[in-house]
Amino acid sequence: MRKIYFTPGPSQLYFTIEEHFKSALTENIGSISHRGEQFKKIHQHADNGLRNLLNIPENFNIIFTSSATEIWERIIQSCVIENTTHLVNGAFSNKFYQTATQLGINANKIEATDGTCASINDIGIDSNPELIAFTHNETSTGASQPLDDIYKAREQFPNALIAVDAVSSLPYIDIDYTKVDSVYFSVQKCFGLPSGLGVWIVNDRCVEATLKKESLRKSTGSSFRLSNSFKMAMNHQTPATPNVLGIYLLGKVVEDMNLKGIDMIRREIDYKAAVLYNAINQHDTLSPFVKEIQHQSKTVVVAETEKSAEIIEKLGKKGFVLGTGYGKYKSKHIRIANFPTHSKEQIEMLSDLLLL
Ligand SMILES: *Cc1c(COP(=O)(O)O)cnc(C)c1O
């Protein structure tokens, strides 16, 4: 039986991936030099495709890393001298907070109960943070911070850099890049690619912050420091031998997404999320973990239940692989990825099976 992964990352691969793997082999992608013209074209193709898909302005560059976790370190090392503020509402937002602390930064956290979102009104008005960290979609709980909160923080703290973890929500969300400075994701979530590639969308304000830090003779890292990778990315190059296959596949999948059209992808996710929440609301033993409708994630739907293992096993027998709860919620939640690769028909079938 063919399985379909609804796990929130790694997840089901994008439905066009097979032909791209084949063409990667034919084109010897695993063997080419990362300093040659062929690689530059692959880099440029992924870069242009992402700019087009996500509507990224000119003053941003796209930097390829190994993961989103790596980007947490890069952001702090590159752009922060003393202090950050983190809106924390689950495991991933907390890990970024811990990263800052471990790197010796005076990190503040504004903590919200799991399943809710922190309020920007709790950021001390005199705190003057160098950087405010948002997690748009907290994958561990399914709570999603409205983009308007993020934009309001920019208005209230115009000097702070705004960093947005959009790991499990891009390309679904339509971000106004004039109101943020760093946005990042990993490809194994909504993009439906094998893991091992992080994408950091970063602007000139972050580069100014890193140059300022360097001018004070403070370390911003070595080969992967932002001032170096930013410059290299402009020339479609990377500091080290990168995940060439990952960048190639990303370029191909993004091309397919552009052909389908981002509006269609976003509309389908809205429709499928409505179907899923409807099924969960009707179900006898399931209910949404996130109660506030405006905070309910569209891309990672989380339900609480006493029967998590039973439900996961029942659907698993039909080939539908659901996610368990994250961490301490392992046996208390189910998590369902609603990514671009999951078709309306698959989500409808999944919802029917849940209700059987
Ligand atoms: C998965 C995830 C990460 C970490 O991604 P890696 O690729 O494992 O580094 C960070 N933030 C969020 C919200 C995630 O869902």
Side-chain angles (χ1 to χ4, degrees), residues 72 86-99 108-119 133-145 165 168 184 289-290 295 300 302 325-329 333 335:
W72 288 334
H86 300 253
L87 278 81
V88 171
N89 61 348
F92 291 103
S93 43
N94 196 49
K95 267 194 177 170
F96 189 14
Y97 161 77
Q98 285 171 339
T99 302
N108 273 304
K109 72 168 150 179
I110 315 283
E111 201 158 18
T113 315
D114 288 348
T116 70
C117 289
S119 164
F134 286 96
T135 301
H136 174 264
N137 198 61
E138 181 44 83
T139 317
S140 67
T141 65
S144 185
Q145 189 95 39
D165 177 331
S168 55
Y184 53 95
F289 180 55
V290 178
H295 292 158
V300 181
V302 179
Y326 190 93
K328 64 183 169 191
Y329 298 112
H333 290 175
R335 290 183 303 153

Side-chain angles (χ1 to χ4, degrees), residues 68 71-72 75 96 131-137 145-147 149-151 161-170 173 175-177 179-185 199-201 206:
I71 296 168
W72 288 334
I75 289 177
F96 189 14
L131 179 140
I132 305 175
F134 286 96
T135 301
H136 174 264
N137 198 61
Q145 189 95 39
L147 285 171
D149 290 359
I150 299 173
Y151 303 155
L161 296 175
I162 305 288
V164 184
D165 177 331
V167 174
S168 55
S169 44
L170 274 180
I173 47 172
I175 298 177
D176 179 349
Y177 287 86
K179 299 196 166 87
V180 297
D181 303 292
S182 273
V183 179
Y184 53 95
F185 66 90
V199 179
W200 184 13
I201 304 162
C206 293

